[in-house]
Amino acid sequence: MLDAKTIIVVAADQGIRRSVAFALEVEGYSTESYDTVQKAEASCREALCTILDDDVLRSEPQAAAQLLSNRGHRAILLVDGLSALQQRVDNATLTKPFTGADLLGVINSLIEAAK
């Protein structure tokens, strides 16, 4: 069972997964990283939030849409600025490139909104 401070990172690119996980772990969050939505699904149910890279959204549109449609599940979508993604209440977008401070700001705003 995951604790409430675990953040799931889903990105096909290993470099993105490692960079995002490192930035979060430095701030005290535990992370789990996956290269596909299907591998991450079970862990996402109990996580604080899930970070999804837009490449995964394009390669697994149905699995990603199902994950994002779950009420109460918070997600951060990493986009390149050209992605046309529909904003939902429980989701936030962060345009690449971004800094660790940008990422933490989005996570904190999701946590505040959930209170």
Side-chain angles (χ1 to χ4, degrees), residues 12-86:
D13 182 273
Q14 184 179 21
I16 291 174
R17 287 194 312 270
R18 283 185 177 172
S19 295
V20 171
F22 176 78
L24 294 170
E25 289 167 358
V26 165
E27 295 297 323
Y29 292 98
S30 61
T31 65
E32 288 188 18
S33 299
Y34 300 92
D35 60 349
T36 68
V37 173
Q38 290 181 333
K39 291 178 184 175
E41 281 180 312
S43 295
C44 290
R45 292 184 194 116
E46 299 177 30
L48 175 65
C49 70
T50 301
I51 299 173
L52 294 163
D53 187 55
D54 60 352
D55 288 339
V56 172
L57 297 173
R58 287 190 288 269
S59 66
E60 297 180 85
Q62 289 180 317
Q66 183 176 357
L67 177 71
L68 294 172
S69 69
N70 291 336
R71 289 200 183 278
H73 181 77
R74 295 177 297 276
I76 299 171
L77 311 175
L78 304 179
V79 300
D80 61 11
L82 301 175
S83 304
L85 300 170
Q86 185 176 13

